[in-house]
Amino acid sequence: MKNNLLLGLLFWLWMPSVSFAQAPKEPQIILSKRIQTDTAAHRTAPKPEVAIDFPNVNKIPFYEDRKKLRAIEKLERRHNWQKALPLLAEYVKNFGVENFYKTTPLLWRLAQLYERVGDEDRAKAYYRLVLKHHRQDIRKIQLYYDSLEAKNKTLYVPLKHYYELVEYRKSINTFHPPRGIYLNMGQEVNSKYEDYAPILSPNNDRLIFSSKRVRRKGMNSTANEDLFYSEYNGISWEEAKPFAKPINSVYNEGSACMSKDGQTLYFTRCECPDCHGNCDLFMAKKLKDGSWGNIRNLGPNVNSKAWDSHPSLSKNEDTLYFASDRLGGFGMSDIYFTYKLKNGQWAPAQNMGPIINTRDSEVSPFFHPLYQVLYFSSRGQLLNNGDFDIYKTYRVNGRWQEPRNIGPLVNGKGSEYYFTIDSNSRNLYYARSEENDLKNLDLFSFPLPMEAHPLAVTKVEGTLVDSASHKPLSGIISIIDLDHGVEVASKYLREDGSFDFDLIDNNRYMMIIQSPDFFSIEKEFDLKQDTIFKIMTSVIDYSIPLIFKNIEFDEGKARIKSNMEGILDRIIYFLVDHPTFGLKIEGHTDNTGDPNLNLDLSQKRADAIKKYIMDKGKIPEDRIEAWGYGSSMPLKEEKTKEDQQINRRVEFKIIQPKTPPGQVPNQGGN
């Protein structure tokens, strides 16, 4: 049932009117708030978050001022929170890298102070820093953070259940179901050995990646890591070929990125004579004959005595992001950056700071070719689904925002690395491993899901409540991009009935909310800016039959009329969404005419409705009962034509399974 979004603050979701035996109110969707954000055709970044700066991170290793600490502690002992807070905030601002694991409790104390004064956003920001950088038992801190974050917690529907929902609705939906995920790029690209680190040429017609398929000769047959490429012929990717010398050598090469003009290649080379450490970043120039040459090390300002790899250029090509496990970082490996000086040389590399980096590992950065969005892989960020997950972070007003997990349609229970998007933001490419087999990396590619899209920054949020009690309802909410078919992972409603999604503005969407407690809700809407909905619907009372006014047959006829179809379709949607539920249809007539003919007519009408529901919804016959009772069960004594009209009815009874399924099963995970 697709309706257009009505202009104004109030609009209604069409549902059949119900009367007599059970009369739930029509589901009502109130557009409670629209937040004007900007006038651009597309928003390219979310609204700014709480600003937290640590200017000393790349200047000093550790900050301490015992006199200031004693003054702060004295104020805290006196419960003088208002004076202690700004002093502690200023103290923490001076942190160097080592403070984040040596004096983590100060971050926790600051978070608690912000919570005490009611600044929940800043409290959560500092609690997140503690959770990312702690090196002790933090269960208590997790409880503090969870209590604040409960209203914003993301509850993804497990993928198996997500695709069951899609499969159920294939027979009745007019929009296309979501497309497959985790699509392996096949044997033309992948080998039986590790294949990873994909990048695309500027025209998206060449895929460059790293592979360990070449084995060195000898008893151990160790891998020789090399760069390979595959050409796109307009239909598929062709068989991969290795780069020629001097790019590939007797040393290990991999993890590349390319300039927009295709003339400069940045890549990693390991254990070579001119390497400063284990692995270094190099650059090469394309020569007039199409080959590569002029290979040179990026130098000590960029490379360290440790491992340096995974280069990615900013969209203006004036900043280079990479991963390194050099000493002085936050964790096992961090994301660093360097920028070009006026003389064309690279400046000394800097750590990206404690918002991006954690006590664990961050690797494989990828800067989007058009927008200020950085993708990277981490196993130390919050909301991890597996070993390594892929996150995105936006640069807003010169600051990197809190990284966002790009969701279960990309991140599985194994590991995901080396995320790359084509220049049109249509398809993603990355390397992933299965759970419990982290070394067997293959390259995957599929259409870009909404959570991973760089332009998915317009927020849609709302709550669903019972229209009678105003208590929150539980269920599953799905969003379908009707314009582009971009997938949006389904979520459970939170305990307070709330939900939120980050979507792309100026697109058309379908909202679907499913639950055994109420008839499925569908609404089509055009998204222009950040939007808040309040949705109210009626809970089904399974002990009382449903009687719909519009289910009225022509006199003496059993033909389904067109004005009945909308109501019957709603019943179909419910049965499709809840495959363990059944339906009983009861036909009734008034007492005029021959009772036997009335009995036969009521049965024919019930059978006609049953056939419509079975045919359109592809519902198995054993889930639907159809009974005709003629005039044997009147609701009223027939004294007037109105009384006769009341008795001429069709009743619907939803039959629950013997053990009703939980309303919100298996929350979280995938």
Side-chain angles (χ1 to χ4, degrees), residues 193-372:
Y193 299 103
E194 292 101 315
D195 301 290
Y196 48 96
I199 63 161
L200 290 169
S201 63
N203 294 327
N204 303 320
D205 56 2
R206 174 175 281 199
L207 181 78
I208 300 171
F209 63 97
S210 306
S211 179
K212 292 185 178 180
R213 66 188 65 188
V214 177
R215 319 307 286 180
R216 289 189 175 98
K217 295 179 180 180
M219 292 181 62
N220 295 326
S221 186
T222 58
N224 189 55
E225 186 177 9
D226 283 331
L227 284 171
F228 283 73
Y229 66 92
S230 173
E231 305 282 356
Y232 189 69
N233 59 24
I235 300 174
S236 61
W237 292 100
E238 297 179 348
E239 183 176 357
K241 300 175 183 178
F243 269 70
K245 294 179 179 180
I247 297 295
N248 286 335
S249 70
V250 294
Y251 309 107
N252 288 326
E253 287 84 24
S255 299
C257 71
M258 186 177 287
S259 60
K260 290 178 184 177
D261 61 8
Q263 299 301 303
T264 306
L265 184 74
Y266 295 87
F267 67 99
T268 306
R269 177 170 283 171
C270 301
E271 299 170 349
C272 62
D274 52 345
C275 288
H276 293 83
N278 172 256
C279 292
D280 276 11
L281 298 178
F282 287 75
M283 65 177 295
K285 288 289 186 179
K286 182 171 279 190
L287 305 179
K288 291 183 179 180
D289 62 0
S291 64
W292 293 94
N294 296 332
I295 296 175
R296 65 179 179 87
N297 190 297
L298 292 190
N301 275 357
V302 177
N303 293 308
S304 69
K305 294 181 179 180
W307 171 84
D308 302 290
S309 188
H310 306 172
S312 180
L313 280 171
S314 65
K315 68 173 187 175
N316 294 327
E317 301 187 354
D318 55 0
T319 305
L320 185 72
Y321 300 89
F322 63 97
S324 177
D325 67 356
R326 64 187 62 188
L327 294 176
F330 289 94
M332 299 171 66
S333 62
D334 284 0
I335 306 295
Y336 287 78
F337 72 95
T338 177
Y339 58 91
K340 279 189 176 179
L341 300 169
K342 291 182 179 180
N343 62 5
Q345 299 298 309
W346 292 107
Q350 298 183 46
N351 192 291
M352 287 196 68
I355 305 295
I356 303 300
N357 293 313
T358 70
R359 71 189 183 283
D360 210 303
S361 294
E362 280 69 45
V363 294
S364 59
F366 167 74
F367 201 99
H368 194 280
L370 297 179
Y371 308 109
Q372 294 286 329

Side-chain angles (χ1 to χ4, degrees), residues 182 195-198 360-361 363-364 376-380 384-391 405-407 410-419 428-444 446 670:
Y182 299 167
D195 301 290
Y196 48 96
D360 210 303
S361 294
V363 294
S364 59
F376 64 96
S377 188
S378 171
R379 62 182 181 191
N384 249 64
N385 294 320
D387 191 44
F388 276 90
D389 274 2
I390 295 168
Y391 296 79
N405 189 299
I406 62 175
V410 174
N411 291 317
K413 291 189 176 181
S415 284
E416 293 78 26
Y417 311 89
Y418 308 103
F419 186 81
L428 65 84
Y429 302 81
Y430 72 131
R432 70 180 298 268
S433 65
E434 297 295 338
E435 188 179 13
N436 302 321
D437 189 9
L438 303 181
K439 291 185 177 180
N440 187 20
L441 288 170
D442 267 355
L443 295 177
F444 289 74
F446 49 90
N670 52 41

Side-chain angles (χ1 to χ4, degrees), residues 13 16 42 127 151 162 273 333 350 369 440 451 488 500 515:
L13 177 67
H42 273 292
Y127 280 133
K151 295 179 181 179
Y162 170 72
S333 62
Q350 298 183 46
N440 187 20
E451 286 86 351
V488 186
D500 61 68
S515 171

Side-chain angles (χ1 to χ4, degrees), residues 15 131 185 249 320 352 405 456 467 476 508 538 566:
M15 275 284 283
L131 295 174
M185 293 193 71
S249 70
L320 185 72
M352 287 196 68
N405 189 299
S467 57
I476 292 172
R508 203 163 46 97
S538 301

